[in-house]
Amino acid sequence: MMCSRLRRSLPHPLSLRLLATTASRMMVAVKQPDRLSATLTFEDPSAFRVKSLGELLRALGIFHLCSFSVLVNNSGKLMSVARRLLGRRVFSSLLRPTVYAQFVAGENESEISQSMEKMSLLGLRPMLAVPIEEDLGESTGEKRYDDNMEAMLECVQISHSNTWSRDPMIQLKVTALLSPDLCVKLTTLIAQQPYDLNLLVRAMDGEQINFPGLDESDLAHFLSSLRRLNQIAEASVNKVRVLVDAEYTYMNPALSLVTMAMMKKFNKDGAWIWNTYQCYLKESRSLLLEALCLSETEGFCLGVKLVRGAYMDKERKLAEKQGRPDPVHKCWEDTNDSYNGSLHVMLEDISKNPESSRIIVATHNEESVRRATKRMEELGIANDGGSVCFGQLLGMCDHVSLTLAKEGYVVYKSVPYGSVDDTLPYLMRRAQENQTVLQGIRKERDLLKKELFRRLTLRGGRS
C-alpha cells in the first residue's frame, strides 16, 4: 500500500472502503453499453482528409506490415540483419521516409518544430518523449545518467520555447536517471521499512540524507538521481507537465516513491508532475485510490496518466518463473473493467474538486474514449478545461485523435524524437510491448483505404 509505504497518516480505513464501494458501483454502470454516447463513433474517414496522398500510402503500408505478429515479434532481429546487410547509411535512408517518418517527429529542433506546427494546426498538442531508458543489468554510470538529464532538460526547453507549444507535456523514464537495479532494491526496502516523503524532498534540495538499507555506493547514486529529477522538475514547473512512465512491477513502487516526492514538492499550485497507473494490473485500482488519499492528506494536486499497460506477457512469465501470483488481470474484459472503473473514479473526483486532480485518458480504445466523453458531459466537465485530456501515440489512432480535437477536446500525441540510431531501439521495444494495439489497427487501416479510394475516385472522375 502506497500510503503505508510512505509512512503518512491517512483518513479512516472506512473512507477507503467507501471509495472502493463507490468504484464498484461505477463499474456496474460502466458495463451498460446502451448508455454510451453515439456522437463519437470514429467511423468517418474524412478525419484523414488532412493527410497527403503520400502520408496515406505510407500509413497503409506500415499498418499492413504491423498486422503480422511474426514481423512485430522479430522486428529487432530483422532490423539488425537489414542494417548489417545494407550498411548504416542505406538502412537509415530507407527507414527515414517510412517507419521513422510515421512514428518519430524528427532529429533536431527544426524538424521537430515542423512536425509539431502541423500537429498544432490540426488541434493536437505535443507530449515529447526522449527515447532513453534502461532495464536490469544495463546501468552505465553517473556520466550516462547526467547526459540523459541534459537530454531531458533540452526536451523541456524545446517543448516550452516554441510557438506551437500550448500547455505542453513531456514523458519521463525514471530509469533513464536512476539505475533499474537500485529501483528493484528500493522496492524491496520500502516494502519492509517505508521511506518518508519529506526525506526525499530534503534530498532533492541537496541535503545529505541517509536512507536505511543503502550502502555508500547506492546512497551516493540515489542522492545524485534525486537531484537530477529535481533539476528537471524545477525547469518544468509552470512551463511543461512531466508525465512519469510506469514500468515493471518489480520496480514500480520505487518509481512511484520518487514521483510522489516530486508531486509533494512541485504540485502545490497545479499538476506539473504526473504518475502513470497501469490498469492491466490487479493492484491498479487500490494504488490509484491510495494516491488520491495521499494527495489530499499532503495537499498536492494529483496528475494521473491512465493506461492499460504494455508489459503483460513479461509480467506473467516473470511471476510464473518466481512462483508468485500473476499480477495481471486474467482477461481483456477484466482489464477493460479496471480501466473504465478507474477512469470514472477520477472523473468523479475532478467534478467535485477540479483543482485537486487531472487526468490524461491515454488509450486507443474507442469504447473507453466514448465513456469518458459521455461521463464528462454528465458531470459538467468542460471539453477544453484541461482537467481531462486524451492521449494517443504519434502515427497511430489518428481517426480518434483528430475526431476528438475537432469536437473540442484536449488531445495530446506522444511524440518520440531523435536520430534513427537513437529512436530505433525505442520503437522496437514499443512495437513488441504494444503488439495488441498494432495488430488491432484494422479499423484505422480500413478508414485509410476509404479515404484513399475517395481521392482516387475523384481523380478518375476529373479525368
Side-chain angles (χ1 to χ4, degrees), residues 111-386:
E111 292 177 358
I112 296 166
S113 291
Q114 188 176 355
S115 298
M116 295 303 95
E117 283 168 6
K118 182 176 181 179
M119 255 179 47
S120 180
L121 290 173
L122 299 175
L124 304 175
R125 300 185 186 184
M127 186 197 306
L128 293 185
V130 183
I132 47 177
E133 58 189 294
E134 292 185 0
D135 201 351
L136 291 175
E138 298 178 357
S139 303
T140 49
E142 293 298 330
K143 185 181 186 308
R144 171 66 182 274
Y145 291 122
D146 286 339
D147 290 343
N148 289 347
M149 180 190 69
E150 293 300 327
M152 291 300 306
L153 290 171
E154 183 182 32
C155 182
V156 172
Q157 183 270 324
I158 292 172
S159 297
H160 173 64
S161 62
N162 286 279
T163 55
W164 44 261
S165 299
R166 184 183 175 193
D167 197 14
M169 293 179 170
I170 66 170
Q171 292 173 247
L172 184 147
K173 286 271 188 186
V174 170
T175 51
L177 306 165
L178 171 62
S179 161
D181 298 275
L182 182 54
C183 288
V184 173
K185 185 173 183 177
L186 286 168
T187 294
T188 301
L189 288 172
I190 61 178
Q192 300 167 351
Q193 184 176 358
Y195 286 179
D196 192 324
L197 284 186
N198 293 311
L199 291 179
L200 276 81
V201 171
R202 286 162 54 190
M204 286 180 182
D205 289 332
E207 191 172 334
Q208 190 70 27
I209 302 293
N210 287 316
F211 290 95
L214 298 183
D215 60 29
E216 187 176 343
S217 175
D218 286 341
L219 179 60
H221 174 61
F222 188 43
L223 293 175
S224 296
S225 298
L226 289 174
R227 289 161 194 159
R228 280 188 284 264
L229 289 164
N230 187 72
Q231 272 190 258
I232 293 168
E234 283 186 336
S236 304
V237 71
N238 297 320
K239 298 176 185 175
V240 180
R241 302 185 191 278
V242 179
L243 277 60
V244 179
D245 285 336
E247 300 186 45
Y248 298 101
T249 51
Y250 54 72
M251 65 173 74
N252 277 344
L255 305 185
S256 291
L257 173 72
V258 298
T259 304
M260 289 298 174
M262 293 167 71
M263 282 194 196
K264 177 177 171 61
K265 181 175 180 183
F266 294 102
N267 282 13
K268 294 297 184 184
D269 300 314
W272 297 104
I273 310 298
W274 300 42
N275 200 18
T276 299
Y277 296 86
Q278 302 159 302
C279 292
Y280 72 160
L281 296 176
K282 296 173 183 175
E283 66 175 357
S284 60
R285 180 73 58 80
S286 63
L287 292 177
L288 180 61
L289 292 172
E290 289 162 13
L292 284 166
C293 287
L294 184 65
S295 65
E296 183 178 355
T297 303
E298 295 287 340
F300 61 76
C301 184
L302 180 68
V304 169
K305 178 183 175 185
L306 199 67
V307 303
R308 276 173 170 75
Y311 306 122
M312 180 174 66
D313 291 338
K314 184 171 180 179
E315 290 284 8
R316 280 188 166 144
K317 288 177 183 176
L318 190 62
E320 184 178 3
K321 182 180 178 181
Q322 296 177 347
R324 55 184 176 82
D326 185 352
V328 179
H329 284 297
K330 64 180 180 180
C331 62
W332 180 246
E333 290 74 18
D334 287 351
T335 296
N336 286 340
D337 288 343
S338 172
Y339 190 94
N340 294 328
S342 293
L343 170 62
H344 280 239
V345 167
M346 284 301 302
L347 293 178
E348 286 282 341
D349 186 74
I350 289 169
S351 69
K352 296 171 183 174
N353 306 290
E355 302 302 318
S356 67
S357 57
R358 296 180 68 149
I359 184 175
I360 179 165
V361 185
T363 182
H364 291 193
N365 186 285
E366 296 173 17
E367 181 188 348
S368 290
V369 170
R370 282 194 292 270
R371 291 182 190 278
T373 58
K374 176 74 159 48
R375 194 64 182 141
M376 287 171 68
E377 182 181 359
E378 292 172 348
L379 294 171
I381 300 172
N383 293 7
D384 58 355

Side-chain angles (χ1 to χ4, degrees), residues 11-138:
H12 192 275
L14 178 60
S15 302
L16 279 175
R17 288 199 295 272
L18 287 172
L19 275 170
T21 302
T22 302
S24 300
R25 288 173 181 168
M26 288 175 188
M27 280 182 62
V28 173
V30 166
K31 292 180 180 179
Q32 300 177 16
D34 55 309
R35 295 188 182 183
L36 293 179
S37 170
T39 58
L40 294 170
T41 60
F42 307 113
E43 301 283 354
D44 188 0
S46 66
F48 294 112
R49 291 183 183 179
V50 297
K51 292 185 176 292
S52 68
L53 180 61
E55 289 172 333
L56 285 177
L57 292 170
R58 182 187 69 206
L60 275 169
I62 291 172
F63 289 169
H64 181 68
L65 291 175
C66 287
S67 66
F68 296 100
S69 59
V70 66
L71 293 179
V72 175
N73 293 340
N74 297 286
S75 57
K77 294 177 183 177
L78 293 171
M79 290 288 186
S80 297
V81 171
R83 182 175 177 178
R84 190 164 57 249
L85 293 175
L86 298 172
R88 179 178 173 183
R89 183 174 297 179
V90 175
F91 177 74
S92 293
S93 66
L94 289 174
L95 226 63
R96 257 192 168 275
T98 54
V99 174
Y100 180 92
Q102 181 73 17
F103 299 115
V104 182
E107 184 170 353
N108 52 50
E109 187 166 355
S110 175
E111 292 177 358
I112 296 166
S113 291
Q114 188 176 355
S115 298
M116 295 303 95
E117 283 168 6
K118 182 176 181 179
M119 255 179 47
S120 180
L121 290 173
L122 299 175
L124 304 175
R125 300 185 186 184
M127 186 197 306
L128 293 185
V130 183
I132 47 177
E133 58 189 294
E134 292 185 0
D135 201 351
L136 291 175
E138 298 178 357

